[in-house]
Amino acid sequence: MIAQSDLERHLTGCADCASWGNELSVIGRFARLAPLPSIDLSEQILRSAATVRARSSLGAVIVRAVLLAVAVGQLLLSLPSLLLASDSMNAPMHMAHESGGWNLALAIAFFTVVWRPQYAAVFLPMIGVLASVFTIFCVADLIAGAVTWQRLMTHVLMVSGLVLLGLIAYFRRARGDSAAMRLRHAARRLASAA
């Protein structure tokens, strides 16, 4: 075996070997920059993704079913205000319509998440702010005697829906993280086998 220093000394004194060494250096550079042969793993990855998508935890299904019940309740709560222009506080017609509109919007948001759970995180900020503001003012109004417990109970659906949206978003994120991990492991196994 030739020592590195002996090789360098030879290359400085031999023009043919130096030229050949330069050619090898260029070839080596091209070999390092050349694209690797492509391995098409798309079919296996899509199959794995479909399997992961098909799995749904029982907890997530139960939470969506409860959210469906909350959505129906929220819809029923909106109807008297929208159709009869009255609510449990005998508010003026315009206020009753606004209240009914909010309740209908919440019902539609909840129905949307039951149908498309991936939207749970999208609705969380808006419904979270709405529920927080209502909670603060409802507690203040209750302390001041300006509202009854019965009226406050109409907001339980909204707060329940908010909690359920949070759970659905949590389940989806946890499932997505584990699904992504499983897909990465499957891709590594397939790549090492190829």
Side-chain angles (χ1 to χ4, degrees):
M1 180 175 230
I2 301 173
Q4 183 68 25
S5 58
D6 293 337
L7 179 61
E8 289 172 4
R9 225 177 294 121
H10 177 76
L11 288 175
T12 56
C14 179
D16 288 336
C17 289
S19 174
W20 183 71
N22 286 336
E23 287 178 29
L24 285 179
S25 172
V26 169
I27 291 171
R29 193 171 321 122
F30 279 124
R32 284 190 302 275
L33 297 177
L36 294 173
S38 64
I39 302 169
D40 185 13
L41 301 175
S42 57
E43 188 175 322
Q44 292 91 337
I45 291 172
L46 289 173
R47 212 176 357 208
S48 296
T51 304
V52 167
R53 195 178 309 120
R55 293 184 197 146
S56 185
S57 72
L58 179 61
V61 171
I62 291 171
V63 170
R64 284 173 63 196
V66 174
L67 183 62
L68 177 61
V70 168
V72 169
Q74 199 75 51
L75 176 66
L76 294 175
L77 186 64
S78 74
L79 294 180
S81 298
L82 291 173
L83 301 178
L84 306 174
S86 68
D87 64 8
S88 62
M89 292 186 64
N90 296 319
M93 183 186 314
H94 180 72
M95 296 280 294
H97 285 153
E98 282 185 5
S99 175
W102 274 109
N103 286 321
L104 179 62
L106 287 170
I108 290 171
F110 296 152
F111 280 123
T112 300
V113 173
V114 168
W115 183 47
R116 298 277 192 205
Q118 65 267 29
Y119 293 126
V122 173
F123 288 113
L124 273 175
M126 190 272 298
I127 296 175
V129 168
L130 183 65
S132 299
V133 170
F134 274 19
T135 301
I136 291 167
F137 284 105
C138 284
V139 168
D141 289 346
L142 187 64
I143 292 170
V147 71
T148 64
W149 277 104
Q150 292 81 4
R151 176 64 183 166
L152 290 182
M153 294 309 290
T154 62
H155 300 308
V156 169
L157 287 172
M158 175 180 42
V159 174
S160 300
L162 176 65
V163 170
L164 295 167
L165 288 179
L167 287 172
I168 290 170
Y170 171 78
F171 284 141
R172 288 196 53 78
R173 182 168 182 202
R175 196 176 100 200
D177 289 348
S178 63
M181 192 180 308
R182 284 194 299 272
L183 284 174
R184 280 194 296 273
H185 289 302
R188 281 191 207 122
R189 281 195 307 268
L190 289 169
S192 66

